[in-house]
Amino acid sequence: MATTTDTLPGRPYGEVEGNYLTHERGLLSWLTTVDHKRIGVMYLACISGAFLLGGIFAMVIRWELFSPGPTVPGLNADRYNQIFTLHGAIMTFLVIIPGIPAALGNFVLPMMLGAKDVAFPRLNLASWYLWVTGAIFAVTSLVMSAADTGWTFYTPYSTTTQTAVIPMTIGAFILGFSSIFTGLNFIVTIHKMRPDGLTWFKLPLFLWGIYATAIIQIIATPVLGITLLLLIAERVLGVGIFDPTYGGDPVLFQHFFWFYSHPAVYIMILPAMGIISEMIPVFSRKHIFGYTAIAYSSIAIAMFSFIVWGHHMFAAMSPLANMVFSAVTFSVSIPSAVKVFNWTATMYKGSIRLATPMLYALSFLFLFTIGGLTGLYLATLGTDIHLHDTYFVVAHFHYVMVGSTMIAFIGGLHYWWPKIFGKMYSEKWGNVGCIVTFLGFNITFLPQFVLGMRGMPRRYYDYIPEFEALHRLSSIGAFIMGIGLFVTLFCLVYSLFKGKPAPDNPWGSASMEWQATSPPHYHNFTKPPKVGDPYDYTDLVWDPKSEGYYRKAEGQGAA
Amino acid sequence: MTTETQVIDEGGHDHEHAHSPHLQHHFDTLDQQFNAGKLGMWLFLATEILLFGGLFVAYAIYRNLHPEIFEYGHHFLDPKLGGINTAVLILSSFTMAAAVRFAQEGKQGMLKLCLVLTLCGACGFLGIKYIEYSHKMVHGIFPGKYYNPDEHILEEELLGAHGHGAVAEHGRDHASSSGEETHGEGAHEESTQSAEASAQAAPAEGEFVIEKSQIVEAPEGPEGMVGIVHEKPELPKRPEKAHVFFGIYYLMTGLHGIHVLIGMCAIGWVFFRSTRGEFGPDYFTPVDLVGLYWHLVDLIWIYLFPLLYLIH
Amino acid sequence: MSEATAHHEEHHGVGHIVDWRVLIGVLVSLLILTWLTVKVTEFDLGSLNIVIALVIATLKASLVCLFFMHLYYDQPFNSIILVSSLLFVLIFILFSLLDLSAYQSSIIPDYISSLRDPAYPLDQLK
């Protein structure tokens, strides 16, 4: 014990021996790896690529909407439909849904449990390959004639349009199975791989978030699979389930689709809430407030998510179903608010350090609150009829999906970056990236609430001149946000080459992954990690020499 | 054979298995590994149930809103073939359960035998399914928009598959448009044969001549049929959405058939590993998990059979 | 415990061995129930027919789950997974049915078929 130097303060900088990044080299060693950490990094790289692609489409959309009438040279209305479909499909299926669980979750989850790997490492690699295959199908659709149905594939348009709907649906089907296998792996890992003493209520809240997400992935995603299979069958065979020309019911498709896709919204947000629950206590140097309330609210949100799907279809459903779904939708706000209040209470009287991850966490709180509260307008039947299919909806779900999930993802990336790559990024540029992104985001989407209230419909290529000022503002905001994201990207990539080597525990977190070296050994821990309260910071001491924290008690090296 | 059922104490064997060659590096004990595998498989089965669940939703909705298309469509399915297939699947499920047991006991020969029997059952199931499918497609009963049935198919199906009694009970559902062809008191089973036979024969040349006295009059008047002669009692009217039934039928049985195929591949893979003697009391997880999958395929069929074939 | 296991057919491995009599009993009951469900169809019991068919199917499914699939001997969590997946299918069916049957009356009859030309068969609709 005393001979291990891993947790000694002032451990010499430099590469850790036998770390997972260098213990094998070459592209093949990555493509055939079953190490959860490498798979996480591969996910991270691929998802970032997809994010870039989806982001470019977003920029094209905003450029087109900069002025009324045709704006982007060569972009007609049909192309525009394809572009926003691709933006939606890529961002949802390729980026936000797998984003946090597959990239960060894969890396962090087993380490938070003190385990050597996930329960089924080969299945884990297989789900990465499924992701890649799904992505190839989606991009194939792009090269052929990209689908123009919107990412929701509503019938009967999706069964009649001449564009390549089938490759896109096959892609989404495969991506669904990638997501299922990831969730399955995580549930089994959390159930079966916990070391002695790590009880359910000593798990970091990120794991509760991931667990709740995995439940949704297991239960809801197969329904997406069958929906897309039925859609393909409808297109190819005309079986008459969804397509009214053949005696089907298009509203039934919406039931099928939203039975998956509403829970999928919580697949996006629950892990993000988990990340926030990790970052806020660490940077407030204070134990999380209301641990059990946050843990249970994750599970509650997962359960509620299955009985609210109808609120996407208020304009199509019967009054009876509308009332039921509206009432249930309101109740989702209870567990969500429980979390927000607990995070706020955690910060109260804490000694807050505005490091980059904490800035992202604060942005999340602000944006999620707006996103969540505007959801209530849409859950109310009367107002929803007015706001339905307008930019208000667009702004609302971007506040939740981008403003909350993407912001938490990027924040979590900054938080675990030192652990993943063993390098510290520039705190200054990290801050700049966060602030510019935050400002850009709000400039983009706040005006869209107003646009929606005034009646600007979503998905339109053109608009009346009265909306020009607000659309322009929104487009300018989008470009600012793009700049902010690029600053963040450069800040992180730059750190890989020129960043200072990271100490093992730069933020002073008490959860188990920080007991490993930075970057971790390929077996994760060189000695069995100590199980304890993941939010108890009392005996973590700052060491100015290594610019990291160490435990003063427990005879770990230093004592 | 002992009769006691008992639960093995978990973790009670840690020390014995600590260095088993079957233990993967990231697990501590074989028990942990076994239970993790089982939990994973059950989660996967839950996803399968929800995958099929979508089809059951479609079924439930159309059955509720348009019961007439199910009443009409099920005449074209043969409950006898369906019943045989159910029995075949149940038997193969049994041999699979037996295979798991033999693997646990380390009886290699019996394990391999049971796996081969299970595979035979799967092949038998698909063979019968093939007969059913081709029998329909020959008559133009295709799914969805390709549904274009022969005009004569219905009477053959009704005469054959349901025989006299069943048709009479339906009241409006009975009969024949061909004067030469009559139908008999035939028991349920016999009449099935006549269905297949008459399917091959041209409708006008029915081979089963039965006394006209046994023809039962429809209690209700003709419904929507044109050109009905007294000796040619009317057929049930084809409902407008009849093709939806066959769409659902083909999708449900087709997806199930794909699962049978996948199950066969998995059983083949386990059989291959069993020929190398890989399984024994300490390590039989693959047999067990493939078994679970195979039983699920059986489970789905247990519901599909009454829902599609046995509609009254 | 391992002592108990030792006289249980020398079984040292993991998992539970199901007794032959149970396996064969389940097989026979499944076959009998299949026969029963076919026979019941011959009687016209109105809407009870489908209920009986589903009850028998569920009985058969439970037998398969409990004994062939070892749920009776397994950790209870596996059964929870199975039951909750069925529960979610049920939610899915009930809510969709609730909505669809509620608005059927407001659908304009034959609106869609009025759009199509009766001269064309179904497969030339588009």
Side-chain angles (χ1 to χ4, degrees), chain B residues 1-3 6 8 10 31 38-39 49 63 65 90 101-102 104-105 145 169 281 284 292 303 312, chain C residues 8-9 13-16 18-21 34 41-42 44 50 58 61 69 74-75 81-82 93 104 123:
Chain B
M1 302 290 148
T2 65
T3 56
Q6 54 165 57
I8 290 165
E10 298 196 17
D31 257 328
K38 260 201 132 139
L39 177 59
I49 288 171
R63 176 99 193 244
L65 302 181
I90 287 173
R101 203 199 134 100
F102 285 125
Q104 284 174 305
E105 292 174 325
K145 62 183 170 189
E169 273 165 36
F284 60 93
L292 285 178
Y303 280 95
H312 192 85
Chain C
H8 182 81
E9 300 181 30
V14 289
H16 179 266
V18 187
D19 186 10
W20 274 117
R21 291 196 290 194
T34 306
T41 322
E42 291 175 12
D44 187 1
I50 181 146
T58 306
M69 298 171 96
D74 256 359
Q75 298 175 331
I81 294 172
L82 176 70
I93 292 181
Q104 287 303 307
D123 56 343

Side-chain angles (χ1 to χ4, degrees), chain A residues 2 78-79 86 100-101 105 144 158 234-235 248 266 268 273 276 361 369 428 439 448 463 473 480 502 508 538 559:
Chain A
D78 286 337
R79 275 261 159 229
L86 285 165
I100 298 176
M144 291 164 69
S158 58
E234 194 75 60
R235 245 185 106 85
Y266 296 96
M268 304 169 196
M273 291 168 159
I276 301 303
T369 306
K428 185 177 86 186
L439 290 177
Q448 295 190 1
Y463 52 85
L473 191 59
I480 295 175
T538 43

Side-chain angles (χ1 to χ4, degrees), chain A residues 455-535:
Chain A
M456 171 74 206
R458 64 191 284 200
R459 303 201 181 100
Y460 275 31
Y461 171 69
D462 200 359
Y463 52 85
I464 51 174
E466 282 90 322
F467 291 142
E468 187 174 4
L470 285 170
H471 265 303
R472 268 208 179 157
L473 191 59
S474 180
S475 293
I476 290 167
F479 302 138
I480 295 175
M481 188 180 163
I483 292 168
L485 288 171
F486 269 106
V487 170
T488 307
L489 178 70
F490 285 122
C491 165
L492 289 177
V493 173
Y494 182 82
S495 79
L496 287 182
F497 302 101
K498 301 279 178 172
K500 272 200 296 184
D504 292 343
N505 194 353
W507 317 120
S509 167
S511 55
M512 255 191 277
E513 76 272 25
W514 298 101
Q515 294 180 32
T517 53
S518 295
H521 189 262
Y522 67 96
H523 279 322
N524 288 358
F525 298 99
T526 41
K527 57 173 187 269
K530 281 200 170 299
V531 178
D533 184 339
Y535 300 104

Side-chain angles (χ1 to χ4, degrees), chain A residues 231-403:
Chain A
L231 178 62
I232 293 171
E234 194 75 60
R235 245 185 106 85
V236 177
L237 300 171
V239 285
I241 293 175
F242 297 145
D243 188 339
T245 347
Y246 299 121
D249 189 333
V251 179
L252 184 59
F253 176 83
Q254 300 189 18
H255 278 290
F256 268 74
F257 185 79
W258 290 112
F259 185 85
Y260 162 73
S261 290
H262 190 76
V265 173
Y266 296 96
I267 294 181
M268 304 169 196
I269 193 74
L270 279 168
M273 291 168 159
I275 290 181
I276 301 303
S277 307
E278 292 303 304
M279 296 194 300
I280 285 185
V282 170
F283 292 100
S284 306
R285 308 309 302 154
K286 201 164 153 262
H287 194 284
I288 187 94
F289 185 88
Y291 175 95
T292 38
I294 296 182
Y296 280 132
S297 64
S298 293
I299 305 294
I301 290 177
M303 292 301 131
F304 274 127
S305 73
F306 285 100
I307 43 175
V308 298
W309 79 83
H311 66 222
H312 294 267
M313 318 157 44
F314 282 155
M317 289 194 309
S318 60
L320 174 66
N322 274 352
M323 283 189 284
V324 174
F325 279 119
S326 173
V328 188
T329 302
F330 278 112
S331 53
V332 184
S333 59
I334 299 168
S336 312
V338 163
K339 284 179 188 286
V340 174
F341 290 135
N342 279 310
W343 292 324
T344 320
T346 305
M347 288 191 291
Y348 178 66
K349 287 193 174 171
S351 63
I352 293 174
R353 179 181 158 202
L354 287 178
T356 312
M358 186 60 174
L359 280 185
Y360 278 104
L362 293 175
S363 311
F364 173 96
L365 276 185
F366 183 81
L367 301 174
F368 177 71
T369 306
I370 294 182
L373 289 176
T374 49
L376 295 179
Y377 293 70
L378 297 169
T380 313
L381 290 172
T383 45
D384 182 69
I385 295 301
H386 176 63
L387 298 172
H388 177 79
D389 263 355
T390 66
Y391 264 77
F392 191 90
V393 180
V394 176
H396 159 70
F397 73 73
H398 277 91
Y399 262 88
V400 183
M401 288 183 182
V402 185

Side-chain angles (χ1 to χ4, degrees), chain C:
Chain C
M1 301 309 307
S2 26
E3 289 79 22
T5 333
H7 68 72
H8 182 81
E9 300 181 30
E10 311 276 312
H11 176 56
H12 298 293
V14 289
H16 179 266
I17 294 191
V18 187
D19 186 10
W20 274 117
R21 291 196 290 194
V22 174
L23 288 181
I24 292 170
V26 169
L27 172 67
V28 173
S29 344
L30 286 175
L31 291 175
I32 291 174
L33 286 171
T34 306
W35 174 82
L36 189 68
T37 191
V38 174
K39 281 294 146 195
V40 164
T41 322
E42 291 175 12
F43 302 97
D44 187 1
L45 304 169
S47 57
L48 262 183
N49 271 105
I50 181 146
V51 176
I52 293 173
L54 283 178
V55 167
I56 294 179
T58 306
L59 210 59
K60 285 162 76 182
S62 317
L63 285 174
V64 172
C65 287
L66 286 175
F67 301 107
F68 281 180
M69 298 171 96
H70 298 200
L71 273 185
Y72 185 75
Y73 317 98
D74 256 359
Q75 298 175 331
F77 191 70
N78 292 346
S79 310
I80 295 175
I81 294 172
L82 176 70
V83 171
S84 48
S85 70
L86 295 172
L87 203 70
F88 282 108
V89 173
L90 206 64
I91 290 176
F92 189 10
I93 292 181
L94 288 181
F95 276 76
S96 315
L97 203 55
L98 168 87
D99 176 44
L100 266 85
S101 42
Y103 71 68
Q104 287 303 307
S105 56
S106 60
I107 292 178
I108 304 166
D110 298 328
Y111 175 69
I112 291 292
S113 43
S114 73
L115 298 178
R116 64 164 91 119
D117 185 345
Y120 290 98
L122 205 56
D123 56 343
Q124 290 175 11
L125 275 175
K126 294 194 174 163

Side-chain angles (χ1 to χ4, degrees), chain B residues 41-118:
Chain B
M41 194 62 199
W42 272 106
L43 287 168
F44 180 69
L45 295 187
T47 70
E48 290 283 18
I49 288 171
L50 277 134
L51 185 80
F52 276 98
L55 287 175
F56 282 102
V57 171
Y59 176 93
I61 281 171
Y62 282 93
R63 176 99 193 244
N64 257 283
L65 302 181
H66 306 284
E68 72 283 356
I69 62 174
F70 288 83
E71 224 156 77
Y72 172 84
H74 93 280
H75 292 305
F76 298 87
L77 307 185
D78 186 341
K80 195 184 174 201
L81 287 182
I84 292 173
N85 250 353
T86 312
V88 167
L89 263 196
I90 287 173
L91 279 167
S92 77
S93 234
F94 171 75
T95 52
M96 193 69 223
V100 173
R101 203 199 134 100
F102 285 125
Q104 284 174 305
E105 292 174 325
K107 293 181 180 164
Q108 303 295 338
M110 291 305 282
L111 165 65
K112 277 176 272 185
L113 178 68
C114 279
L115 288 174
V116 170
L117 284 176
T118 313

